[in-house]
Amino acid sequence: MNERASRVKVALLEFRADSITRQDILTTADLASLLANTSIKSKSSIPCLFVVEDLSRDVIEILGSRLDVDPMFFRGHISDYAWYNTRDPWIELPDLDIVSRNRPFFHVRYTRTRYFRDPKSYSRARLEAGAFNVLRRINHDGSWVPGADIPGSDVGMVRSKMSFWVQPRKTKGPDPVTGILLVDPSITEGFSLWGDYNDFAPCPSIADELPPRQPRGSIFEDAIYWLQQMSIQDIELTIQDPRLLFQKSLYNVCAEWLTVLRYANTRLSQLEWEIEDPYLRDRQEDLSTTLDKIHSWRRRFPLYKTLVTETLNKVIRRDQFGYATSNSLLVLEKDFETILDELNQFHERAERIMSVVTAVMSIEESKKALQQNRSLARLTYLAVTFVPLSFVSSFFAMTEDVTKLTQTFWVYFAVAIPVTLLALVVVRFSDSIVNNTRRCVRRLRKKQRRHDD
C-alpha cells in the first residue's frame, strides 16, 4: 500500500531553443526538490512539461500544491466508469459546458487493444491492471473463431485516458508554458494487436541518416518520443497555443481508434461468415453463440461513439482554452469525424447482422417444428393402425376356449381389416368430415329457423 501511495514515474521535458532535454524523476524527494526550483515555479524562461504515468497520492500532493493544480484534473483522470449504480458515492457528474470551457485542462477517453495467446495470459494482464493506481479494466472480447484464431486466444479491450493541464497565466505577458500530461501505465502482458499502428513520420530518404527508433508498447515512452520530435517553430508557437504539446499524443489516440475499427471490422466479417456457414445453421447452440457475440458489439458501439463525440466537442473543437489564441488540434478534426462515421456504419451493420441472425434462428426453429410435426403424424398413423386391431383382438379374446375359434378365426380379419381401413379414412379425411358436418349442422339450423318462422 505504501509503495502504491508513493509511486513516482515522472519525466520533465524542457523545450530549449537548441534542444529538448529530459529529466526522469522516480522518487517523491526528487520531485519535491525539482519543484522547489524557482525557475520552474516562476516559469522564468523556457516551456516545460511534466509527463506523469500512473498517479499516486504523493504525486498528486506535490504537483497539486507546488503548481496550484485544480483537484478536478486529477480526480477526472483516476476513474473510468461507463455507468454508475444509484448508490455509488464516487460518481462524477458532468460539468456544464460553460464551466468546462473555463477549466485549464481536458481529458481524452479512448480504447486500446491487447492480444493474448491463452486465458492464463489474459488473467495475468488483469492482475497487472489491478495494480495500477488509476482504475483501468480489461474487457475480453471472447470472439474466438475456429480455424482463424489460436484456440483459447483472446483480445482485450482497455478503456484508457490521457489528460492535459496548462498552468493559467497570472500576468498578461507571454510567459512560457508549464503543463502536465497524464498517461496510463502500459500493460506489458500480451502483444500489441497487429504489431501496433504505423509511424506518423514520413519515410526518410535513402540518403538521410536514420532517425532514432520509436519505442513501442509504452504509452509513457511513446508520448515522450513524439514530444522530443517537436520543431523549433512548434515550440515557439506553444506560447500562442499550449495544446501543441498535446497534438502528437492525440495522434496516438486517433491511431488506437483506427486499430479498434479494423478489429471490429474483422469480427463483424467473421460473424457474417458464421451465419453463411450451413454447418453452423444446423446447430442452434452455435447460432446462439453468434448472437451473444453480436450483442457485445452492439453494446460497445454506442459507448465508443460517445467517447469519440466527447473528444470532438470538448477537446478538438474547443475554441476557448486558457490564453490560447489559436487551435492546433483542429488538424485532427477530419480524422475523428471519419472514425465517428465508421462507428455509425459498424453500429448499423451490427443491427443488420442481429436481424439476420434472429431470422435465421426463427427459420431453423420452424424447420425443426415441421420435422417434429411429421414425426408426430407418423406416430398418429401407427396408433390408428394398431388401436382397431387391439380392440378386435380383445373382443374375440373374451372366450376362454380358444379351440372354439378355429371355425371363426377368419372373422377376425374380416372385421379387423375393414375397421382399420375405416379408421384410417376417418383420420385422413377428418378435417373434411368435421367441416362438412359443421356445414350440415348450420344448414339444418337455418331450415329449422325458417320452419319456425
Side-chain angles (χ1 to χ4, degrees):
M1 184 63 68
N2 291 331
E3 185 275 331
R4 295 183 65 169
S6 59
R7 185 182 300 168
V8 178
K9 187 174 182 181
V10 180
L12 172 62
L13 299 180
E14 294 181 330
F15 299 87
R16 304 178 184 274
D18 55 347
S19 64
I20 301 175
T21 62
R22 170 180 176 176
Q23 183 178 355
D24 291 316
I25 305 104
L26 300 177
T27 64
T28 54
D30 291 342
L31 182 61
S33 174
L34 180 68
L35 286 170
N37 189 331
T38 56
S39 63
I40 294 176
K41 290 184 66 176
S42 61
K43 307 176 294 181
S44 61
S45 58
I46 57 176
C48 58
L49 179 69
F50 291 90
V51 183
V52 183
E53 178 185 275
D54 198 11
L55 283 174
S56 65
R57 180 199 62 191
D58 291 352
V59 170
I60 293 174
E61 289 181 356
I62 295 173
L63 285 178
S65 60
R66 301 297 175 87
L67 297 179
D68 194 17
V69 182
D70 188 339
M72 296 298 294
F73 171 66
F74 296 114
R75 179 181 176 181
H77 184 80
I78 291 175
S79 63
D80 183 35
Y81 290 95
W83 54 276
Y84 295 89
N85 292 314
T86 55
R87 295 184 295 173
D88 289 343
W90 52 82
I91 183 172
E92 299 175 19
L93 296 175
D95 287 332
L96 296 176
D97 184 64
I98 192 173
V99 176
S100 61
R101 285 200 308 264
N102 294 320
R103 296 188 185 276
F105 62 85
F106 53 75
H107 307 286
V108 175
R109 297 191 294 168
Y110 63 104
T111 299
R112 306 184 72 232
T113 56
R114 197 74 179 168
Y115 177 79
F116 306 105
R117 288 184 177 272
D118 51 56
K120 291 183 179 179
S121 178
Y122 170 71
S123 299
R124 290 193 295 269
R126 291 195 65 180
L127 292 175
E128 186 178 352
F132 297 162
N133 283 328
V134 293
L135 177 63
R136 302 292 184 264
R137 289 174 292 187
I138 306 176
N139 299 320
H140 72 98
D141 182 31
S143 297
W144 175 73
V145 178
D149 299 318
I150 299 175
S153 62
D154 205 347
V155 173
M157 316 292 287
V158 188
R159 289 200 306 272
S160 305
K161 267 187 182 181
M162 281 189 183
S163 302
F164 183 68
W165 171 87
V166 174
Q167 190 173 41
R169 285 179 177 172
K170 297 182 180 179
T171 62
K172 295 183 179 181
D175 295 332
V177 177
T178 299
I180 300 175
L181 175 62
L182 305 180
V183 298
D184 288 346
S186 300
I187 297 174
T188 58
E189 183 64 34
F191 305 91
S192 297
L193 187 62
W194 293 315
D196 221 331
Y197 47 83
N198 296 330
D199 198 340
F200 303 140
C203 181
S205 172
I206 194 170
D208 296 338
E209 183 180 355
L210 290 178
R213 185 178 180 182
Q214 177 186 355
R216 294 289 186 176
S218 172
I219 307 174
F220 180 78
E221 295 296 336
D222 202 17
I224 294 175
Y225 171 82
W226 287 111
L227 284 167
Q228 290 177 329
Q229 306 304 311
M230 290 183 64
S231 64
I232 297 176
Q233 293 78 9
D234 288 339
I235 295 174
E236 292 175 351
L237 290 174
T238 56
I239 297 177
Q240 301 177 8
D241 185 14
R243 286 173 289 190
L244 273 168
L245 298 174
F246 186 73
Q247 188 184 72
K248 291 298 183 180
S249 296
L250 198 58
Y251 277 36
N252 294 338
V253 172
C254 186
E256 293 290 354
W257 276 121
L258 292 176
T259 303
V260 172
L261 289 176
R262 298 288 77 77
Y263 177 67
N265 179 65
T266 297
R267 289 310 188 194
L268 291 180
S269 299
Q270 289 173 340
L271 289 172
E272 290 172 335
W273 171 78
E274 290 180 6
I275 299 171
E276 295 175 0
D277 191 350
Y279 175 73
L280 292 175
R281 287 203 304 266
D282 293 337
R283 299 177 60 181
Q284 195 71 16
E285 62 275 9
D286 290 337
L287 282 176
S288 298
T289 303
T290 302
L291 194 64
D292 293 338
K293 293 178 183 178
I294 197 63
H295 266 307
S296 64
W297 282 108
R298 288 176 69 246
R299 179 180 57 84
R300 291 181 190 138
F301 285 135
L303 175 61
Y304 293 166
K305 289 193 293 184
T306 300
L307 300 185
V308 174
T309 303
E310 182 181 274
T311 303
L312 271 170
N313 295 334
K314 296 186 177 181
V315 178
I316 295 177
R317 295 171 180 165
R318 179 177 174 180
D319 296 329
Q320 182 179 348
F321 184 73
Y323 49 83
T325 58
S326 61
N327 188 353
S328 58
L329 302 183
L330 281 175
V331 294
L332 286 160
E333 183 179 19
K334 183 62 177 178
D335 295 272
F336 276 87
E337 286 178 348
T338 302
I339 292 172
L340 185 59
D341 289 341
E342 289 197 38
L343 284 172
N344 288 325
Q345 294 175 12
F346 284 149
H347 193 191
E348 294 174 0
R349 183 178 172 187
E351 295 290 348
R352 291 195 298 269
I353 295 174
M354 173 67 67
S355 302
V356 171
V357 173
T358 305
V360 170
M361 292 182 67
S362 300
I363 292 172
E364 295 301 322
E365 287 287 349
S366 300
K367 289 181 179 179
K368 290 184 177 181
L370 183 59
Q371 292 176 355
Q372 292 176 354
N373 291 336
R374 290 175 180 173
S375 300
L376 291 175
R378 296 189 188 97
L379 292 175
T380 302
Y381 280 114
L382 289 175
V384 169
T385 301
F386 284 99
V387 166
L389 297 177
S390 300
F391 171 74
V392 175
S393 61
S394 300
F395 180 78
F396 284 102
M398 293 175 64
T399 178
E400 296 180 357
D401 190 359
V402 180
T403 58
K404 294 180 180 180
L405 298 176
T406 55
Q407 301 297 326
T408 60
F409 188 71
W410 61 272
V411 179
Y412 170 77
F413 295 99
V415 176
I417 292 175
V419 171
T420 302
L421 293 175
L422 178 61
L424 290 173
V425 170
V426 171
V427 172
R428 176 64 180 82
F429 300 100
S430 59
D431 293 338
S432 300
I433 294 172
V434 171
N435 292 333
N436 292 331
T437 303
R438 289 177 178 174
R439 290 173 186 170
C440 293
V441 170
R442 284 197 295 267
R443 290 175 182 174
L444 291 174
R445 288 179 178 175
K446 288 181 180 180
K447 291 181 179 180
Q448 184 65 31
R449 289 173 184 173
R450 292 174 183 175
H451 180 72
D452 294 339
D453 293 340

